[in-house]
Amino acid sequence: MNVSVPLVAILGAVVWLAWRYMGLRAWHVVVCLLFGFFLAATSAAPQIRRLVTVLVQSLSQH
């Protein structure tokens, strides 16, 4: 999936905006990062990657 770096940058910006303007605490960010890290190590990771790929491709066609 060649959109992973831009997607990570967009998600990082969303987290930063949530932290800055929506009252997201630092420990919330840490929990989200750990959740993503451990989720990537599960057997669900390939299905999630496929779903994200399909969504990005469908959005980029319009």
Side-chain angles (χ1 to χ4, degrees):
M1 184 166 131
N2 55 357
V3 297
S4 62
V5 173
L7 187 59
V8 168
I10 290 169
L11 291 173
V14 169
V15 169
W16 181 82
L17 288 171
W19 187 5
R20 177 84 171 132
Y21 297 109
M22 296 173 63
L24 188 68
R25 306 237 189 252
W27 70 271
H28 295 139
V29 175
V30 171
V31 168
C32 289
L33 288 171
L34 287 173
F35 175 71
F37 178 78
F38 288 116
L39 183 63
T42 66
S43 61
Q47 289 84 9
I48 294 169
R49 189 171 289 121
R50 273 189 233 114
L51 175 66
V52 170
T53 302
V54 168
L55 289 173
V56 169
Q57 287 175 350
S58 68
L59 290 174
S60 65
Q61 290 177 357
H62 296 325

